[in-house]
Amino acid sequence: MGATIRCFIAVDLSEAVRKRLGGLIRELGESGAEVGWVRPESIHLTLKFLGNVAVELTEEMKPVLRRIGEEAIAFRIEPAGCGAFPNVKQPRVVWVGLGGVNKHLAALQKAVESAMIPFGFAPEDRPFRPHLTLGRVRGRRNILALQQILLARQGFTAEPFDVAEL
């Protein structure tokens, strides 16, 4: 088998949003909790996670995804709120939510999901819950401090941004 890359289909964020999320990550990091924080420049809105994929296959997928992007209707979303999956009391993934999520985002995600089936990627069995992952909890040390900051920052917002490509 040839070279593979860790692959996902996603929407990029504006630089202003990344900067604001970086500030929130620093604030959450002050909790001292054991969290693997995502670098702000790597934060994105995942539409479909594919895992390790052969580079040749990604080349075959590009025209299909390009067409989906060209046919999609541009829309605006706003990072808003923060929390954790499965919940703040038992955090495993720290996230920022998205306000302004609408039928256009749902349609884009569904189109991507359907387009990947012929390439051997099964549809996700969980409902699409759009969010921006900030970090993954690795241990329980200082978890209460992290929970307190998350609860205090539930009203977090960042500048809305336009989604015009994937």
Side-chain angles (χ1 to χ4, degrees):
M1 184 162 110
T4 63
I5 58 171
R6 186 170 170 86
C7 193
F8 52 88
I9 301 161
V11 170
D12 239 349
L13 309 178
S14 71
E15 201 53 46
V17 169
R18 284 198 167 111
K19 187 174 182 179
R20 183 97 167 93
L21 294 173
L24 179 59
I25 289 170
R26 282 189 295 282
E27 187 178 339
L28 293 165
E30 290 174 6
S31 68
E34 297 173 288
V35 179
W37 298 109
V38 178
R39 293 185 332 268
E41 62 272 15
S42 297
I43 300 173
H44 56 272
L45 169 56
T46 300
L47 299 175
K48 173 84 175 157
F49 177 70
L50 302 175
N52 291 327
V53 178
V55 172
E56 300 83 31
L57 185 57
T58 66
E59 292 302 317
E60 292 176 34
M61 291 187 287
K62 283 180 182 179
V64 173
L65 293 170
R66 192 171 294 114
R67 187 178 66 250
I68 290 170
E70 290 168 355
E71 293 172 358
I73 297 171
F75 55 93
R76 178 169 270 226
I77 54 179
E78 176 183 358
C82 66
F85 293 133
N87 57 57
V88 173
K89 290 193 181 282
Q90 299 174 325
R92 286 198 308 255
V93 174
V94 178
W95 51 260
V96 162
L98 297 170
V101 173
N102 57 42
K103 63 182 179 183
H104 301 301
L105 175 59
L108 179 61
Q109 189 276 333
K110 188 175 182 178
V112 166
E113 191 78 60
S114 296
M116 292 299 100
I117 294 170
F119 293 103
F121 298 98
E124 182 65 47
D125 55 357
R126 296 174 295 183
F128 179 55
R129 293 171 65 180
H131 65 281
L132 306 173
T133 298
L134 301 183
R136 289 178 169 59
V137 177
R138 295 184 171 152
R140 300 301 295 170
R141 185 173 49 89
N142 296 326
I143 207 72
L144 288 176
L146 176 64
Q147 291 167 343
Q148 290 172 340
I149 296 171
L150 282 170
L151 290 171
R153 299 297 280 138
Q154 284 182 327
F156 173 85
T157 60
E159 175 181 311
F161 63 97
D162 294 322
V163 175
E165 63 183 9
L166 57 107

mmCIF file with all atom_site columns, all heavy atoms in Angstrom, residues 7 26 39 55 66-67 96-97 102-103:
data_model
loop_
_atom_site.group_PDB
_atom_site.id
_atom_site.type_symbol
_atom_site.label_atom_id
_atom_site.label_alt_id
_atom_site.label_comp_id
_atom_site.label_asym_id
_atom_site.label_entity_id
_atom_site.label_seq_id
_atom_site.pdbx_PDB_ins_code
_atom_site.Cartn_x
_atom_site.Cartn_y
_atom_site.Cartn_z
_atom_site.occupancy
_atom_site.B_iso_or_equiv
_atom_site.pdbx_formal_charge
_atom_site.auth_seq_id
_atom_site.auth_comp_id
_atom_site.auth_asym_id
_atom_site.auth_atom_id
_atom_site.pdbx_PDB_model_num
ATOM 1  N N   . CYS A 1 7   ? -6.930  12.163 7.229  1.00 0.00 ? 7   CYS A N   1
ATOM 2  C CA  . CYS A 1 7   ? -7.737  12.972 6.330  1.00 0.00 ? 7   CYS A CA  1
ATOM 3  C C   . CYS A 1 7   ? -9.115  13.276 6.904  1.00 0.00 ? 7   CYS A C   1
ATOM 4  O O   . CYS A 1 7   ? -9.738  12.416 7.526  1.00 0.00 ? 7   CYS A O   1
ATOM 5  C CB  . CYS A 1 7   ? -7.876  12.196 5.023  1.00 0.00 ? 7   CYS A CB  1
ATOM 6  S SG  . CYS A 1 7   ? -8.516  13.129 3.651  1.00 0.00 ? 7   CYS A SG  1
ATOM 7  N N   . ARG A 1 26  ? -5.935  29.613 25.833 1.00 0.00 ? 26  ARG A N   1
ATOM 8  C CA  . ARG A 1 26  ? -4.995  30.052 26.878 1.00 0.00 ? 26  ARG A CA  1
ATOM 9  C C   . ARG A 1 26  ? -5.709  30.186 28.218 1.00 0.00 ? 26  ARG A C   1
ATOM 10 O O   . ARG A 1 26  ? -5.198  29.766 29.262 1.00 0.00 ? 26  ARG A O   1
ATOM 11 C CB  . ARG A 1 26  ? -4.321  31.367 26.485 1.00 0.00 ? 26  ARG A CB  1
ATOM 12 C CG  . ARG A 1 26  ? -3.205  31.192 25.462 1.00 0.00 ? 26  ARG A CG  1
ATOM 13 C CD  . ARG A 1 26  ? -2.401  32.464 25.250 1.00 0.00 ? 26  ARG A CD  1
ATOM 14 N NE  . ARG A 1 26  ? -3.186  33.533 24.657 1.00 0.00 ? 26  ARG A NE  1
ATOM 15 C CZ  . ARG A 1 26  ? -3.505  33.620 23.357 1.00 0.00 ? 26  ARG A CZ  1
ATOM 16 N NH1 . ARG A 1 26  ? -3.085  32.685 22.527 1.00 0.00 ? 26  ARG A NH1 1
ATOM 17 N NH2 . ARG A 1 26  ? -4.206  34.619 22.894 1.00 0.00 ? 26  ARG A NH2 1
ATOM 18 N N   . ARG A 1 39  ? -3.719  23.378 18.392 1.00 0.00 ? 39  ARG A N   1
ATOM 19 C CA  . ARG A 1 39  ? -3.100  24.650 18.007 1.00 0.00 ? 39  ARG A CA  1
ATOM 20 C C   . ARG A 1 39  ? -4.147  25.483 17.274 1.00 0.00 ? 39  ARG A C   1
ATOM 21 O O   . ARG A 1 39  ? -4.859  24.949 16.404 1.00 0.00 ? 39  ARG A O   1
ATOM 22 C CB  . ARG A 1 39  ? -1.897  24.413 17.097 1.00 0.00 ? 39  ARG A CB  1
ATOM 23 C CG  . ARG A 1 39  ? -0.745  23.718 17.773 1.00 0.00 ? 39  ARG A CG  1
ATOM 24 C CD  . ARG A 1 39  ? 0.505   23.584 16.884 1.00 0.00 ? 39  ARG A CD  1
ATOM 25 N NE  . ARG A 1 39  ? 0.252   23.529 15.454 1.00 0.00 ? 39  ARG A NE  1
ATOM 26 C CZ  . ARG A 1 39  ? 0.088   22.411 14.752 1.00 0.00 ? 39  ARG A CZ  1
ATOM 27 N NH1 . ARG A 1 39  ? 0.140   21.244 15.328 1.00 0.00 ? 39  ARG A NH1 1
ATOM 28 N NH2 . ARG A 1 39  ? -0.120  22.457 13.455 1.00 0.00 ? 39  ARG A NH2 1
ATOM 29 N N   . VAL A 1 55  ? -3.035  8.362  -0.367 1.00 0.00 ? 55  VAL A N   1
ATOM 30 C CA  . VAL A 1 55  ? -2.895  9.631  -1.082 1.00 0.00 ? 55  VAL A CA  1
ATOM 31 C C   . VAL A 1 55  ? -3.562  9.554  -2.455 1.00 0.00 ? 55  VAL A C   1
ATOM 32 O O   . VAL A 1 55  ? -4.218  10.493 -2.889 1.00 0.00 ? 55  VAL A O   1
ATOM 33 C CB  . VAL A 1 55  ? -1.409  10.032 -1.194 1.00 0.00 ? 55  VAL A CB  1
ATOM 34 C CG1 . VAL A 1 55  ? -1.226  11.242 -2.088 1.00 0.00 ? 55  VAL A CG1 1
ATOM 35 C CG2 . VAL A 1 55  ? -0.822  10.294 0.189  1.00 0.00 ? 55  VAL A CG2 1
ATOM 36 N N   . ARG A 1 66  ? -14.638 19.287 -4.904 1.00 0.00 ? 66  ARG A N   1
ATOM 37 C CA  . ARG A 1 66  ? -14.616 20.604 -5.550 1.00 0.00 ? 66  ARG A CA  1
ATOM 38 C C   . ARG A 1 66  ? -15.998 20.952 -6.095 1.00 0.00 ? 66  ARG A C   1
ATOM 39 O O   . ARG A 1 66  ? -16.496 22.063 -5.924 1.00 0.00 ? 66  ARG A O   1
ATOM 40 C CB  . ARG A 1 66  ? -13.565 20.625 -6.661 1.00 0.00 ? 66  ARG A CB  1
ATOM 41 C CG  . ARG A 1 66  ? -13.265 22.006 -7.208 1.00 0.00 ? 66  ARG A CG  1
ATOM 42 C CD  . ARG A 1 66  ? -12.070 22.005 -8.155 1.00 0.00 ? 66  ARG A CD  1
ATOM 43 N NE  . ARG A 1 66  ? -10.841 21.669 -7.449 1.00 0.00 ? 66  ARG A NE  1
ATOM 44 C CZ  . ARG A 1 66  ? -10.123 20.548 -7.657 1.00 0.00 ? 66  ARG A CZ  1
ATOM 45 N NH1 . ARG A 1 66  ? -10.500 19.664 -8.559 1.00 0.00 ? 66  ARG A NH1 1
ATOM 46 N NH2 . ARG A 1 66  ? -9.021  20.322 -6.981 1.00 0.00 ? 66  ARG A NH2 1
ATOM 47 N N   . ARG A 1 67  ? -16.644 19.974 -6.730 1.00 0.00 ? 67  ARG A N   1
ATOM 48 C CA  . ARG A 1 67  ? -17.983 20.191 -7.276 1.00 0.00 ? 67  ARG A CA  1
ATOM 49 C C   . ARG A 1 67  ? -18.985 20.497 -6.153 1.00 0.00 ? 67  ARG A C   1
ATOM 50 O O   . ARG A 1 67  ? -19.817 21.398 -6.286 1.00 0.00 ? 67  ARG A O   1
ATOM 51 C CB  . ARG A 1 67  ? -18.438 18.980 -8.090 1.00 0.00 ? 67  ARG A CB  1
ATOM 52 C CG  . ARG A 1 67  ? -19.755 19.229 -8.823 1.00 0.00 ? 67  ARG A CG  1
ATOM 53 C CD  . ARG A 1 67  ? -20.190 18.059 -9.681 1.00 0.00 ? 67  ARG A CD  1
ATOM 54 N NE  . ARG A 1 67  ? -20.514 16.887 -8.871 1.00 0.00 ? 67  ARG A NE  1
ATOM 55 C CZ  . ARG A 1 67  ? -19.790 15.761 -8.814 1.00 0.00 ? 67  ARG A CZ  1
ATOM 56 N NH1 . ARG A 1 67  ? -18.694 15.645 -9.538 1.00 0.00 ? 67  ARG A NH1 1
ATOM 57 N NH2 . ARG A 1 67  ? -20.157 14.754 -8.060 1.00 0.00 ? 67  ARG A NH2 1
ATOM 58 N N   . VAL A 1 96  ? -16.097 24.622 21.206 1.00 0.00 ? 96  VAL A N   1
ATOM 59 C CA  . VAL A 1 96  ? -16.864 25.866 21.044 1.00 0.00 ? 96  VAL A CA  1
ATOM 60 C C   . VAL A 1 96  ? -17.985 25.520 20.087 1.00 0.00 ? 96  VAL A C   1
ATOM 61 O O   . VAL A 1 96  ? -17.765 24.849 19.069 1.00 0.00 ? 96  VAL A O   1
ATOM 62 C CB  . VAL A 1 96  ? -15.986 27.009 20.505 1.00 0.00 ? 96  VAL A CB  1
ATOM 63 C CG1 . VAL A 1 96  ? -16.828 28.137 19.927 1.00 0.00 ? 96  VAL A CG1 1
ATOM 64 C CG2 . VAL A 1 96  ? -15.083 27.544 21.602 1.00 0.00 ? 96  VAL A CG2 1
ATOM 65 N N   . GLY A 1 97  ? -19.178 25.963 20.412 1.00 0.00 ? 97  GLY A N   1
ATOM 66 C CA  . GLY A 1 97  ? -20.332 25.698 19.570 1.00 0.00 ? 97  GLY A CA  1
ATOM 67 C C   . GLY A 1 97  ? -20.438 26.690 18.427 1.00 0.00 ? 97  GLY A C   1
ATOM 68 O O   . GLY A 1 97  ? -19.604 27.595 18.285 1.00 0.00 ? 97  GLY A O   1
ATOM 69 N N   . ASN A 1 102 ? -27.260 26.529 10.122 1.00 0.00 ? 102 ASN A N   1
ATOM 70 C CA  . ASN A 1 102 ? -28.502 26.561 9.359  1.00 0.00 ? 102 ASN A CA  1
ATOM 71 C C   . ASN A 1 102 ? -28.599 25.409 8.377  1.00 0.00 ? 102 ASN A C   1
ATOM 72 O O   . ASN A 1 102 ? -27.737 24.537 8.335  1.00 0.00 ? 102 ASN A O   1
ATOM 73 C CB  . ASN A 1 102 ? -28.600 27.907 8.638  1.00 0.00 ? 102 ASN A CB  1
ATOM 74 C CG  . ASN A 1 102 ? -27.408 28.144 7.747  1.00 0.00 ? 102 ASN A CG  1
ATOM 75 O OD1 . ASN A 1 102 ? -26.944 27.242 7.062  1.00 0.00 ? 102 ASN A OD1 1
ATOM 76 N ND2 . ASN A 1 102 ? -26.891 29.357 7.741  1.00 0.00 ? 102 ASN A ND2 1
ATOM 77 N N   . LYS A 1 103 ? -29.647 25.452 7.586  1.00 0.00 ? 103 LYS A N   1
ATOM 78 C CA  . LYS A 1 103 ? -29.905 24.377 6.628  1.00 0.00 ? 103 LYS A CA  1
ATOM 79 C C   . LYS A 1 103 ? -28.806 24.261 5.585  1.00 0.00 ? 103 LYS A C   1
ATOM 80 O O   . LYS A 1 103 ? -28.564 23.184 5.052  1.00 0.00 ? 103 LYS A O   1
ATOM 81 C CB  . LYS A 1 103 ? -31.266 24.580 5.966  1.00 0.00 ? 103 LYS A CB  1
ATOM 82 C CG  . LYS A 1 103 ? -31.368 25.844 5.142  1.00 0.00 ? 103 LYS A CG  1
ATOM 83 C CD  . LYS A 1 103 ? -32.748 26.025 4.560  1.00 0.00 ? 103 LYS A CD  1
ATOM 84 C CE  . LYS A 1 103 ? -32.798 27.319 3.772  1.00 0.00 ? 103 LYS A CE  1
ATOM 85 N NZ  . LYS A 1 103 ? -34.118 27.577 3.246  1.00 0.00 ? 103 LYS A NZ  1
#
